[in-house]
């Protein structure tokens, strides 16, 4: 069915990041997505921890995203 080496199911952030990582290694992939539209439920923010930043560095997008990021020196989780 597909000539590409890897088939990724789902075009969420994980599917797209996987496709980019594979492309950087010279591995072709195709992404299948069942939804015909973008998801309409919006989030508020994304918290990226140090290991996440290391992944973004590897993907070559960290420097772009750092301009929009606010460094958190500490945080507190409050459970209601
Ligand atoms: C209402 C809401 C608000 C959120 N707010 C935040 C936030 O503010 N900050 C934050 O960091 N995170 C937030 N999240 C969490 C964040 O959206 C998820 O952690 C993230 O989207 C997970 O990415 P993913 O690629 O693993 O999965 P998804 O983004 O869910 O992507 C999976 C994709 O696979 C597709 N798919 C599923 N099954 C198939 C199939 N059989 N064939 C083809 N395609 C398929 C789906 O349609 C979907 O597009 C929120 C989530 C929700 C629901």
């Amino acid at each position: 069915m597909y000539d590409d080496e890897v088939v990724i199911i789902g075009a969420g952030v994980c599917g797209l990041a996987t496709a980019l990582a594979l492309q950087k290694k010279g591995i072709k992939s195709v992404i299948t997505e069942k939804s015909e539209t973008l998801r309409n439920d919006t989030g508020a923010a994304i918290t990226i921890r140090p290991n996440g930043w290391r992944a973004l560095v590897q993907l070559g997008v960290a420097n772009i995203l750092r301009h929009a990021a606010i460094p958190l020196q500490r945080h507190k989780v409050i459970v209601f």
Side-chain angles (χ1 to χ4, degrees), residues 46 48 53 56 62-72:
I46 299 175
I48 303 173
W53 281 112
L56 294 172
N63 283 339
I64 301 166
L65 296 174
R66 272 189 219 285
H67 294 295
I70 301 169
L72 291 179

Side-chain angles (χ1 to χ4, degrees), residues 1-2 7 9 11 15-16 18 20-21 25 27 30 32 37 39-41 44-46 52 56 64-65 68 73 79-80:
M1 182 176 170
Y2 296 105
V7 176
I9 311 298
L16 297 175
T18 302
L20 181 56
K25 293 290 179 188
I27 301 169
V30 64
T32 68
T37 59
R39 202 163 63 195
N40 207 16
D41 42 23
I46 299 175
L56 294 172
I64 301 166
L65 296 174
Q73 304 305 327
V79 181
F80 293 99

Side-chain angles (χ1 to χ4, degrees), residues 9-15 32-35 39 41-47:
I9 311 298
V13 66
C14 290
T32 68
E33 171 55 55
K34 71 176 179 182
S35 175
R39 202 163 63 195
D41 42 23
T42 53
I46 299 175
T47 303

